[in-house]
């Protein structure tokens, strides 16, 4: 009987998820807030079961409870949906431009987004001829202050948010070139804001240098970074203009108009 416990617990968890999804699906079919009785009826759930799950969904903001005791889909779904939309859209919009930039440089081109205190690599264009081993695969993560794209995101943080990041991370380094000093990081970010692009001079990986430019959506918000990674002795300054131009083209494809930027 003991061996059946994990299977039983897993089955129960799946049932809860299925019931939660059925309630969310039901709510999606109504324009106005819906009563508990109606939701229990259309999902086939016992009212007490539906109430318990809806309460948990309200706590996590997936569902909102109206003053009348009725329910509707919550803002958390919109927030998550917008995140997914921006990432899917930017990958689709960026792919051909990334390939073109790769053809110009013959080096690794990275597309990254911010997730908390790290960047996440969501796409890449590269070839074996670049002469550089790809250390972090798609889905890989790296600290913001050690990467060119990460510095782009830190450069637009409010001072309070930047201080919080520094406190949380302690500016831990990976090697002798890593920026671990607060004053040095602040000078670096000031340079990023002034220049409109960022660099990683072997701060994440020895022997690898990067340069990055930001990608903006139709609201003017920076949602991703485009970077070139190359062996330290092969990164060419001539590529900087191509990088910035490519990032601007991707932003334009997403509906970005510079005058709308905040």
């Amino acid at each position: 009987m003991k061996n059946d416990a994990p299977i039983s617990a897993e089955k129960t968890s799946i049932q809860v998820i299925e019931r939660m999804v059925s309630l969310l699906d039901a709510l999606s079919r109504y324009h106005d807030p819906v009563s508990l009785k109606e939701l229990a009826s259309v999902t086939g759930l016992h009212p007490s079961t539906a109430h318990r799950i809806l309460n948990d969904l309200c706590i996590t903001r997936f569902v909102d409870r109206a003053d009348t005791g009725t329910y509707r889909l919550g803002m958390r779904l919109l927030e998550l949906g917008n995140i997914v939309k921006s990432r899917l859209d930017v990958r689709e919009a960026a792919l051909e431009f990334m390939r073109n930039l790769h053809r110009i440089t013959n080096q690794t081109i990275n597309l990254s987004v911010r997730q908390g205190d790290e960047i996440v690599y969501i796409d890449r264009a590269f070839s074996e001829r670049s002469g550089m081993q790809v250390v972090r695969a798609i889905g890989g993560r790296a600290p913001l202050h050690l990467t060119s794209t990460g510095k782009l995101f830190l450069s637009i943080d409010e001072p309070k948010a930047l201080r919080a990041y520094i406190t949380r991370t302690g500016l831990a380094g990976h090697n002798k070139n890593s920026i671990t000093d607060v004053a040095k990081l602040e000078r670096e970010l000031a340079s990023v804001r002034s220049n409109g692009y960022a660099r990683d001079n072997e701060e994440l990986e020895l022997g690898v240098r990067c340069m990055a430019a930001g990608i903006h959506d139709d609201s003017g918000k920076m949602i991703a970074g485009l970077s070139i990674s190359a062996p330290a002795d092969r990164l060419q300054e001539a590529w900087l203009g191509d990088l910035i131009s490519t990032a601007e083209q991707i932003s334009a494809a997403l509906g970005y108009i510079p005058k709308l930027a905040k």
Side-chain angles (χ1 to χ4, degrees):
M1 293 295 294
K2 291 183 179 180
N3 291 336
D4 293 336
I7 297 176
S8 177
E10 181 179 354
K11 184 177 180 181
T12 300
S13 297
I14 293 173
Q15 287 176 338
V16 171
I17 293 172
E18 289 175 342
R19 291 168 178 173
M20 177 187 73
V21 172
S22 71
L23 284 166
L24 292 175
D25 284 342
L27 284 168
S28 71
R29 296 196 291 270
Y30 293 85
H31 182 269
D32 296 318
V34 191
S35 68
L36 173 63
K37 181 180 179 180
E38 177 72 9
L39 289 171
S41 175
V42 299
T43 60
L45 295 174
H46 191 279
S48 63
T49 300
H51 182 266
R52 183 175 66 253
I53 296 174
L54 285 167
N55 186 60
D56 289 341
L57 289 171
C58 286
I59 292 173
T60 54
R61 297 174 49 239
F62 285 103
V63 170
D64 288 337
R65 183 184 289 109
D67 294 336
T68 57
T70 55
Y71 300 86
R72 61 189 172 196
L73 294 178
M75 293 300 293
R76 181 93 184 269
L77 290 168
L78 178 62
E79 294 167 1
L80 294 176
N82 283 336
I83 291 173
V84 172
K85 177 179 178 294
S86 68
R87 290 177 183 169
L88 290 176
D89 285 352
V90 73
R91 289 181 68 180
E92 182 178 352
L95 185 57
E96 192 55 41
F97 294 109
M98 291 173 65
R99 289 171 177 166
N100 289 337
L101 185 58
H102 171 66
R103 283 192 282 269
I104 293 171
T105 65
N106 198 33
Q107 300 300 323
T108 300
I109 310 301
N110 309 290
L111 184 66
S112 311
V113 297
R114 179 175 187 169
Q115 195 169 86
D117 292 341
E118 300 174 307
I119 62 163
V120 180
Y121 298 90
I122 62 171
D123 215 336
R124 175 171 284 127
F126 74 101
S127 68
E128 300 299 330
R129 293 180 297 169
S130 66
M132 187 189 77
Q133 179 182 0
V134 176
V135 179
R136 283 170 171 77
I138 295 174
R141 299 169 177 267
L144 296 174
H145 66 287
L146 300 184
T147 61
S148 54
T149 292
K151 291 175 187 176
L152 289 173
F153 282 106
L154 286 177
S155 74
I156 61 175
D157 271 355
E158 295 292 333
K160 183 177 180 180
L162 177 60
R163 288 194 297 271
Y165 171 83
I166 293 170
T167 299
R168 286 193 304 271
T169 64
L171 296 185
H174 281 202
N175 60 58
K176 63 180 182 179
N177 295 323
S178 299
I179 296 179
T180 58
D181 177 74
V182 175
K184 186 174 181 180
L185 177 63
E186 289 176 339
R187 289 194 297 271
E188 180 83 358
L189 297 181
S191 176
V192 172
R193 285 189 288 270
S194 176
N195 295 327
Y197 59 85
R199 299 177 185 273
D200 160 17
N201 290 309
E202 302 184 69
E203 296 155 45
L204 181 65
E205 302 289 343
L206 290 175
V208 179
R209 294 172 59 207
C210 305
M211 53 177 64
I215 295 172
H216 300 78
D217 66 11
D218 58 350
S219 71
K221 179 182 178 182
M222 190 174 76
I223 58 171
L226 184 73
S227 64
I228 301 174
S229 298
D233 59 349
R234 296 190 189 179
L235 192 68
Q236 299 180 23
E237 289 302 308
W239 294 336
L240 183 58
D242 295 314
L243 171 68
I244 294 173
S245 176
T246 302
E248 290 174 346
Q249 291 175 68
I250 297 171
S251 297
L254 293 170
Y256 172 64
I257 301 174
K259 68 179 180 180
L260 296 181
K262 296 180 179 180

